[in-house]
Amino acid sequence: MENSNKRDIRQLSLTDLEAFFLEIGEKKFRAKQVYEWLWNKSLKNFDEMTNLSLSTREKLKSEFAINHIEVDLMQHSNDGTIKNAVKLYDNKIVESVLIPTSKRITACVSSQVGCSLDCNFCATARLKRMRNLNPDEIYDQVVAIKNEAQTYFNRPLTNIVFMGMGEPLLNYSNVLNAIEKITSPEGLGMAPRRITLSTVGVAKMIKKLADDEVKFNLAVSLHSAINETRSRLMPINDSNPLEDLAEALQYWYKKTKRKVTYEYVIWDGVNDDERHAKALAKFCKIIPSKVNIIQYNPIDEGEFRQASQESVDMYIRVLEREGIIAKVRKSRGQDIDAACGQLANKNEVAEI
């Protein structure tokens, strides 16, 4: 790790870098060279910036650090999934996941250290939120998985989902800054349509996404379209009830014309009856949408259990009868606690 007492150079914009180089008597174009090394080539070391003079590199080293992440522990699942325990510059740990399928390789990245939302079915919610991740820390998770995709599968990274630890919309500016670095030609150059941001449904921030005319996809962790049940599962529903969420999603669609994906887990004795299925079908008609029914991944011997196959089939029938696209998503990486809702730093690196 670099000396974190120095300013992290990746906190500077291109304009800030230009001002720095002019201040030290260098040409303005040097800033663009450094910016390319940092964000396009993902360099971690000033010494490797070979188109800069030695004296310029020494000046950068004396002024700045590059507080890049370290993958401290990599776990490989039987199904090919890879989970990274990512150490940040201040020694805090987050997790990210590489999910391989026959058609794509997806990076599932974290946006916060821990989480503050207390969803009762999620292991991450048991960790207190310590801080937001910086844009470079989010970007670095993507770069690490991009490199692992080539190393272990000889295939490129195709998709990114913000479905790891934390609520992305509660770290709004840093997440959008990271996505800009990931998608811009000066950065990694990934297409925004290959990025999905998943939220529990922070209504005012969904409206802000629409106002900011983002080009990536939106997914909402829904799990019930009945307020009483959803509040039991997700306490944020008390302050962001389904009526407010519906209004925000209508605003989103009016501004962006982009459909939304609802992520939905069916639990035994919680939301596995026809009343809940019909409520979901009704909610799905608010704007064009589709549903991903996600397999539940147990986090302990607690109150939540995966619903029966009969309940899942019933949901599919109810939704398809109403013309709603619904797919059942099989979880991957369960054997290494890398599946949806399981990221909780249960590894020796975090324990240390």
Side-chain angles (χ1 to χ4, degrees):
M1 289 279 176
E2 300 277 353
N3 181 355
S4 59
N5 293 324
K6 297 177 186 174
R7 283 190 298 165
D8 188 336
I9 194 168
R10 291 188 297 176
Q11 300 294 323
L12 275 60
S13 67
L14 179 57
T15 304
D16 295 334
L17 279 173
E18 287 173 344
F20 168 76
F21 277 107
L22 290 173
E23 192 180 300
I24 65 170
E26 287 269 11
K27 300 290 186 188
K28 186 177 171 181
F29 74 87
R30 294 292 180 203
K32 193 157 189 182
Q33 291 177 316
V34 171
Y35 198 82
E36 186 177 78
W37 282 118
L38 295 172
W39 299 113
N40 179 260
K41 296 184 170 64
S42 311
L43 215 65
K44 300 177 180 179
N45 195 320
F46 292 116
D47 291 327
E48 295 173 24
M49 297 182 179
T50 50
N51 57 356
L52 303 178
S53 69
L54 182 59
S55 62
T56 301
R57 280 178 270 166
E58 291 299 323
K59 180 66 175 172
L60 288 171
K61 283 163 66 177
S62 70
E63 291 278 339
F64 301 109
I66 304 174
N67 289 328
H68 58 85
I69 66 164
E70 300 282 358
V71 177
D72 253 32
L73 179 68
M74 191 185 297
Q75 293 172 272
H76 293 258
S77 166
N78 295 327
D79 63 22
T81 300
I82 298 173
K83 183 171 76 169
N84 294 327
V86 172
K87 183 178 282 189
L88 309 175
Y89 75 93
D90 57 0
N91 292 323
K92 290 182 170 56
I93 301 288
V94 296
E95 293 180 332
S96 59
V97 184
L98 181 158
I99 307 163
T101 64
S102 58
K103 294 182 179 177
R104 60 179 63 179
I105 290 189
T106 300
C108 175
V109 299
S110 294
S111 56
Q112 296 179 308
V113 183
C115 188
S116 60
L117 291 176
D118 300 323
C119 296
N120 291 318
F121 52 85
C122 179
T124 309
R126 299 180 179 185
L127 306 174
K128 66 177 183 179
R129 190 190 73 81
M130 298 182 192
R131 68 171 176 86
N132 289 330
L133 292 188
N134 297 324
D136 52 277
E137 293 171 325
I138 297 168
Y139 166 94
D140 279 353
Q141 292 175 71
V142 173
V143 171
I145 292 175
K146 179 171 176 275
N147 293 338
E148 290 164 9
Q150 289 293 349
T151 300
Y152 295 101
F153 299 93
N154 198 27
R155 289 163 55 194
L157 177 66
T158 61
N159 295 78
I160 301 168
V161 294
F162 281 79
M163 297 181 186
M165 301 168 79
E167 165 55 57
L169 294 188
L170 296 183
N171 186 16
Y172 189 93
S173 61
N174 286 350
V175 166
L176 262 64
N177 190 325
I179 291 174
E180 191 277 326
K181 298 292 192 297
I182 291 163
T183 57
S184 74
E186 293 80 24
L188 299 182
M190 287 196 70
R193 69 179 183 277
R194 295 193 171 275
I195 298 175
T196 299
L197 183 148
S198 175
T199 175
V200 296
V202 188
K204 69 177 183 179
M205 303 311 289
I206 290 173
K207 290 181 177 178
K208 182 163 173 54
L209 283 177
D211 287 336
D212 287 341
E213 300 178 348
V214 300
K215 305 299 183 193
F216 50 80
N217 303 305
L218 180 65
V220 175
S221 188
L222 191 64
H223 309 306
S224 178
I226 296 174
N227 272 319
E228 181 185 4
T229 305
R230 193 166 191 263
S231 289
R232 172 188 163 191
L233 294 166
M234 308 168 73
I236 193 171
N237 193 70
D238 291 337
S239 56
N240 286 259
L242 289 162
E243 295 78 12
D244 292 357
L245 177 58
E247 182 196 352
L249 291 169
Q250 287 171 322
Y251 187 85
W252 160 269
Y253 188 74
K254 181 181 175 184
K255 284 266 190 175
T256 68
K257 296 294 183 283
R258 298 178 74 85
K259 69 168 60 175
V260 69
T261 299
Y262 297 119
E263 295 157 340
Y264 201 97
V265 177
I266 308 170
W267 288 280
D268 181 38
V270 176
N271 60 350
D272 60 345
D273 57 27
E274 197 161 330
R275 181 173 74 105
H276 281 88
K278 287 179 175 177
L280 173 60
K282 183 179 178 182
F283 194 86
C284 286
K285 292 192 169 184
I286 292 166
I287 63 167
S289 61
K290 63 179 181 178
V291 177
N292 281 342
I293 295 177
I294 300 168
Q295 179 182 348
Y296 179 57
N297 305 297
I299 56 174
D300 56 20
E301 299 301 317
E303 62 178 305
F304 295 101
R305 297 180 303 277
Q306 173 74 32
S308 67
Q309 188 60 48
E310 289 79 8
S311 295
V312 174
D313 293 342
M314 177 271 293
Y315 259 86
I316 296 294
R317 283 196 305 275
V318 169
L319 293 169
E320 288 184 346
R321 194 164 61 223
E322 298 295 329
I324 295 155
I325 297 170
K327 293 184 179 178
V328 178
R329 298 291 188 192
K330 185 177 183 297
S331 286
R332 300 176 67 89
Q334 284 179 302
D335 56 317
I336 55 169
D337 292 322
C340 286
Q342 289 187 315
L343 299 186
N345 284 343
K346 289 197 291 185
N347 54 67
E348 57 263 39
V349 171
E351 287 165 9
I352 292 166

